[in-house]
Amino acid sequence: MSDVKEQAGKLDGWELDGEKLKKTYRFDKYLDGIQFVSKLGVYAESVQHHPDISINHTNVTITWTTFSKKELTEKDVAGAKAADNVLKA
Ligand SMILES: C[C@H](O)[C@H](O)[C@H]1CNC2=NC(N)=NC(=O)C2=N1
């Protein structure tokens, strides 16, 4: 297994699915999820690496992959960590 995937496998609550890293965050309130997405969007712009985001009422699913390379990269692992940190901030 690649180094990146080994790192990905150690992340809390993140599911490794092929070349994708996925996690669903569940919020009590709809606008809490929206605020989380907004903050993560600021991060994504700052590093020019953007996750797929699916909002289903109070559940927000974040999927990281590097589409230009069609594979999981260190940027995706960093993005997953950043998403968890955004939640704590
Ligand atoms: C030019 C720009 O940096 C690229 O198009 C970036 C933008 N954000 C990106 N985000 C992700 N997830 N994968 C990419 O390959 C990617 N490419």
Side-chain angles (χ1 to χ4, degrees):
M1 191 181 274
S2 75
D3 205 38
V4 170
K5 288 190 179 164
E6 216 168 293
Q7 287 176 44
K10 290 179 191 162
L11 296 168
D12 189 37
W14 288 88
E15 179 198 338
L16 183 60
D17 177 14
E19 299 300 322
K20 293 184 177 182
L21 201 45
K22 191 187 283 195
K23 183 173 186 173
T24 298
Y25 294 87
R26 298 172 201 285
F27 295 90
D28 289 337
K29 296 177 186 169
Y30 178 71
L31 285 180
D32 288 347
I34 297 298
Q35 194 177 40
F36 168 69
V37 165
S38 175
K39 287 182 185 170
L40 185 58
V42 171
Y43 164 82
E45 270 296 279
S46 74
V47 297
Q48 280 299 299
H49 197 66
H50 305 84
D52 286 348
I53 300 172
S54 161
I55 302 170
N56 302 93
H57 191 216
T58 53
N59 298 330
V60 177
T61 301
I62 304 297
T63 305
W64 289 103
T65 191
T66 301
F67 41 78
S68 56
K69 295 195 172 172
K70 295 191 173 117
E71 65 181 25
L72 200 74
T73 68
E74 286 184 9
K75 286 185 181 180
D76 301 309
V77 173
K81 287 179 183 170
D84 285 344
N85 286 334
V86 159
L87 194 68
K88 286 182 211 151

